[in-house]
Amino acid sequence: RSVAHRHIAGLLPIDDRPLDVGEARRLGRPHVVALIGPTGVGKTTTIAKLAAACRFRDDLKVGLVTTDSFRMAAVDQLKSYAEILSVPLEVVIDVEDMAPALRRLAHCDVILLDTAGRSRRDSERLEDLRAFLRAADPDETHLVLSTTTGERTMMRDADAFASLGADRVVLTKLDEAGGFGIVLNVIQRLGARISFVTTGQEVPDDIEHGGAERIARMLLAGLGPEAAAPPSTPDHGRELV
Ligand code: GDP
């Protein structure tokens, strides 16, 4: 079993340095990180977790941008997080508003960009999202996928959103997923690295970075994170906050 864990861990490409603001800092500009993906996978919740980690763990100046102006509830949700964390939020409705919004956040170290969870079937909406991303020109684009999604849907989502230049994957809802075997297929299909995994609804606690062996154990166990690893394991996932 441990040989299998190691083998699967070796197949999992992990992003070693997500949210690395070093280069942008040298250039005197914010590091822009976009989260894209279907509706309901946990993008906004993950943005809040990441914003808290950047602000309180890394002591970075954080700015939030959302293009998800279609769903007022989504904007309100992000507004509440922005207020709690005391970070500025820009709501971008038209593509041409993106550049001025980013300029207003030019004093930030990191800008986290929440995008509307366009329906993968709606190619026009994907094109809108592409235009927003082009205007924001993010340093990192993370495709957020829920591990509770079935294989065919996940593959379709992966294909639809891969064309938008996602170079990293955030896997959400590992606490609710029944099995993770399909994750391997999707990751390989995308050729992207895993940046974060999320393990619950609690902001800011339920997010971890990497830990290939821990994720491998989850894949094999096909159960939630409690079943995945004894806490003494050296490769235990690193909590962010
Ligand atoms: P979005 O539409 O992609 O922005 O998704 P939201 O952030 O609004 O999240 C949709 C739902 O998923 C909310 O009820 C969140 O609380 C829930 N959620 C987000 N992340 C996790 C997670 O890691 N585990 C579980 N169980 N639920 C989550």
Side-chain angles (χ1 to χ4, degrees):
R1 204 172 171 79
S2 67
V3 169
H5 284 152
R6 277 201 300 279
H7 180 70
I8 292 181
L11 295 175
L12 287 173
I14 301 293
D15 180 12
D16 291 331
R17 299 182 66 86
L19 302 185
D20 182 2
V21 301
E23 174 67 11
R25 224 178 215 175
R26 270 192 297 281
L27 296 170
R29 61 165 179 80
H31 185 68
V32 181
V33 178
L35 264 60
I36 62 173
T39 305
V41 290
K43 289 183 298 302
T44 305
T45 313
T46 303
I47 292 252
K49 292 171 181 173
L50 293 178
C54 288
R55 176 137 158 61
F56 298 116
R57 184 199 62 180
D58 301 336
D59 204 18
L60 295 173
K61 285 200 194 82
V62 180
L64 302 179
V65 175
T66 181
T67 67
D68 194 349
S69 54
F70 301 93
R71 296 180 305 150
M72 282 322 290
V75 176
D76 286 346
Q77 190 190 350
L78 200 57
K79 263 188 192 148
S80 309
Y81 286 129
E83 274 166 25
I84 293 165
L85 298 170
S86 295
V87 299
L89 166 69
E90 294 283 339
V91 181
V92 171
I93 293 168
D94 296 314
V95 171
E96 50 273 22
D97 299 333
M98 182 63 83
L102 293 179
R103 273 199 297 276
R104 283 192 290 276
L105 298 175
H107 62 285
C108 294
D109 300 303
V110 63
I111 295 175
L112 301 171
L113 170 61
D114 195 4
T115 57
R118 318 288 174 141
S119 156
R120 68 191 167 275
R121 289 187 202 90
D122 188 338
S123 56
E124 257 180 39
R125 289 193 163 187
L126 275 176
E127 285 315 307
D128 280 357
L129 180 51
R130 191 188 303 280
F132 278 118
L133 288 174
R134 206 176 286 133
D137 191 19
D139 298 285
E140 302 178 14
T141 304
H142 300 242
L143 174 57
V144 183
L145 292 174
S146 165
T147 50
T148 58
T149 313
E151 176 158 20
R152 273 175 52 189
T153 309
M154 210 198 253
M155 280 293 187
R156 272 206 315 258
D157 291 341
D159 284 343
F161 285 93
S163 71
L164 298 175
D167 45 10
R168 283 128 166 127
V169 175
V170 177
L171 299 173
T172 60
K173 310 194 187 184
L174 265 69
D175 53 309
E176 284 187 355
F180 302 100
I182 57 168
V183 168
L184 265 184
N185 301 341
V186 173
I187 296 290
Q188 289 189 337
R189 172 110 145 217
L190 280 170
R193 288 161 290 155
I194 301 171
S195 51
F196 299 100
V197 296
T198 76
T199 52
Q201 299 190 332
E202 288 300 317
V203 176
D205 294 330
D206 294 337
I207 187 163
E208 293 180 12
H209 161 56
E213 285 231 1
R214 178 167 158 80
I215 298 173
R217 263 182 232 107
M218 293 182 193
L219 289 168
L220 271 185
L223 295 166
E226 302 85 353
S232 56
T233 325
D235 184 48
H236 204 249
R238 183 157 64 80
E239 285 194 355
L240 282 188
V241 186

